[in-house]
Amino acid sequence: MLAYLIRRIGQSALVLLIVGLVAFAMFRFVGDPIDNMLGQERTQEDIDRLRGQLGLDQPFAVQYFRFLENAAQGNFGVSYRQGRPVSDILLERAPATLELAAVSGFLAIAMGIALGVFTAIRRNGFTANFIMSASLIGVSLPTFLIGILLIYIFSVELGWLPSFGRGETVRIGNWTTGFLTETGLKALVLPSITLGLYQMTLIMRLVRSEMLEVLRQDYIRFARARGLRDRVVNFRHALKNTMMPVITVIGLQLGSIIAFAIITETVFQWPGVGLLFINAIQFVDIPVMAAYLMLISVMFVGINLIVDILYFLIDPRLRADRAGAH
């Protein structure tokens, strides 16, 4: 187990280094931040002085390794646009994105598993077929279009929910939350559904497919022949074995929720790190863009590492394979 963990951590660190290198290299082609930071009356002396202050006159390798060294210490530099430490800006925006991702992830996992189990057990029923047909909407329609449709129906036509913003928030220490206010909870509804709908339909269809496969196994027939109730067979035996491959997909989808929050936050003008990243691209704010992509990479790699460890602990076949290899 220890050797497996060390190897996975080493692979994760290598992935982060490669992602950081690719991201940092791409930003050199986005544009020159000096053009946005200095006015039209700038002189070459002003350009050279600012470039030296920002460290942009250094070779690429020096800039990259300096960025990695500072990032490891939680220092992502100073925003070219706002003139403030990037870490402070991210801490201000992170609560909005994390709360949106948490609600979306909960809805996607809970509803996806529940509907997947229901459509597998009642696979020939009208309701199950209707749910499967309706799930094609979540798979086929792009996220921004789903968000616009929800805004049109529930904000413009019905006037039930707000169409943009986070609503009223409450500060608890360094954390701001909308869970404790009515407007904050209402503001969460549409963006969380928009962000989690694709992941929910994907999880639902995967759970249904895996459970149908498990229900055809011999040990399930044997359990039914023993006279066990359907609830025991479906949930204690079938669902438990169904969740083994689903865990990996759920882990990937949790990372996707945070990464794809960019589109949802833009549609609903949600004040999170995704919207911050879009604004940073417009102003060529390289420190903010680099910090955002590194954080997303850390979340993806961290979630995948946790999923791999859980999969190793849950599935006895993997432990047996490892023991047999030694």
Side-chain angles (χ1 to χ4, degrees):
M1 175 62 184
L2 181 60
Y4 176 78
L5 181 61
I6 293 175
R7 183 166 58 254
R8 290 295 294 117
I9 292 177
Q11 293 173 354
S12 301
L14 179 61
V15 170
L16 289 177
L17 289 175
I18 295 175
V19 170
L21 177 61
V22 173
F24 205 78
M26 288 176 58
F27 293 149
R28 296 172 63 88
F29 304 100
V30 174
D32 192 349
I34 303 297
D35 294 336
N36 292 324
M37 299 177 69
L38 295 178
Q40 295 294 329
E41 299 180 357
R42 64 182 183 270
T43 63
Q44 187 62 42
E45 182 180 354
D46 296 331
I47 295 175
D48 294 338
R49 183 178 65 255
L50 183 57
R51 195 176 296 275
Q53 292 175 354
L54 299 176
L56 299 178
D57 58 339
Q58 299 293 325
F60 172 78
V62 175
Q63 295 183 43
Y64 172 63
F65 285 107
R66 182 178 297 171
F67 167 75
L68 290 180
E69 180 182 1
N70 293 333
Q73 303 173 10
N75 178 17
F76 296 100
V78 178
S79 169
Y80 294 165
R81 179 190 178 192
Q82 301 186 33
R84 298 169 54 205
V86 175
S87 56
D88 292 346
I89 300 174
L90 292 177
L91 288 176
E92 291 177 359
R93 297 293 194 104
T97 296
L98 292 177
E99 287 189 356
L100 176 60
V103 175
S104 301
F106 175 78
L107 291 176
I109 295 173
M111 295 298 295
I113 294 176
L115 293 177
V117 172
F118 176 81
T119 54
I121 296 175
R122 309 290 185 183
R123 54 186 176 275
N124 295 322
F126 171 78
T127 304
N129 290 325
F130 174 78
I131 293 174
M132 291 301 300
S133 300
S135 68
L136 294 175
I137 298 177
V139 175
S140 58
L141 290 182
T143 301
F144 72 90
L145 183 57
I146 294 175
I148 293 174
L149 289 175
L150 291 178
I151 290 174
Y152 176 75
I153 296 173
F154 294 100
S155 298
V156 177
E157 292 295 330
L158 299 177
W160 291 352
L161 298 169
S163 60
F164 67 93
R166 194 183 176 195
E168 185 180 358
T169 59
V170 175
R171 177 171 292 275
I172 303 176
N174 294 326
W175 188 272
T176 57
T177 178
F179 288 151
L180 302 179
T181 65
E182 182 181 357
T183 57
L185 290 174
K186 286 184 177 180
L188 266 170
V189 175
L190 293 185
S192 61
I193 293 176
T194 301
L195 183 57
L197 186 60
Y198 174 79
Q199 283 74 19
M200 183 196 73
T201 54
L202 184 63
I203 293 173
M204 181 195 73
R205 299 178 77 88
L206 179 62
V207 169
R208 179 182 185 274
S209 175
E210 292 293 333
M211 193 159 186
L212 287 176
E213 183 68 25
V214 171
L215 288 174
R216 287 193 287 264
Q217 299 297 317
D218 291 337
Y219 69 89
I220 296 295
R221 297 193 184 98
F222 178 72
R224 296 188 189 279
R226 289 174 55 196
L228 295 179
R229 292 181 299 175
D230 288 343
R231 178 177 299 179
V232 175
V233 174
N234 292 331
F235 293 96
R236 182 174 298 178
H237 296 282
L239 182 59
K240 179 181 178 181
N241 291 282
T242 296
M243 292 305 296
M244 300 294 266
V246 175
I247 290 176
T248 302
V249 175
I250 288 178
L252 294 174
Q253 294 311 306
L254 289 178
S256 300
I257 284 176
I258 299 177
F260 295 155
I262 294 178
I263 301 174
T264 303
E265 291 185 5
T266 303
V267 172
F268 291 92
Q269 288 299 291
W270 189 263
V273 293
L275 185 60
L276 175 68
F277 179 70
I278 294 297
N279 294 332
I281 293 177
Q282 296 175 351
F283 289 90
V284 199
D285 199 343
I286 294 177
V288 173
M289 291 189 289
Y292 173 82
L293 290 182
M294 286 299 295
L295 288 177
I296 294 298
S297 302
V298 169
M299 290 181 183
F300 258 110
V301 171
I303 290 174
N304 287 334
L305 179 60
I306 293 173
V307 168
D308 286 343
I309 295 174
L310 289 176
Y311 207 70
F312 183 86
L313 294 175
I314 293 174
D315 194 342
R317 294 171 298 180
L318 293 179
R319 295 196 298 271
D321 291 342
R322 295 290 177 185
H326 294 290

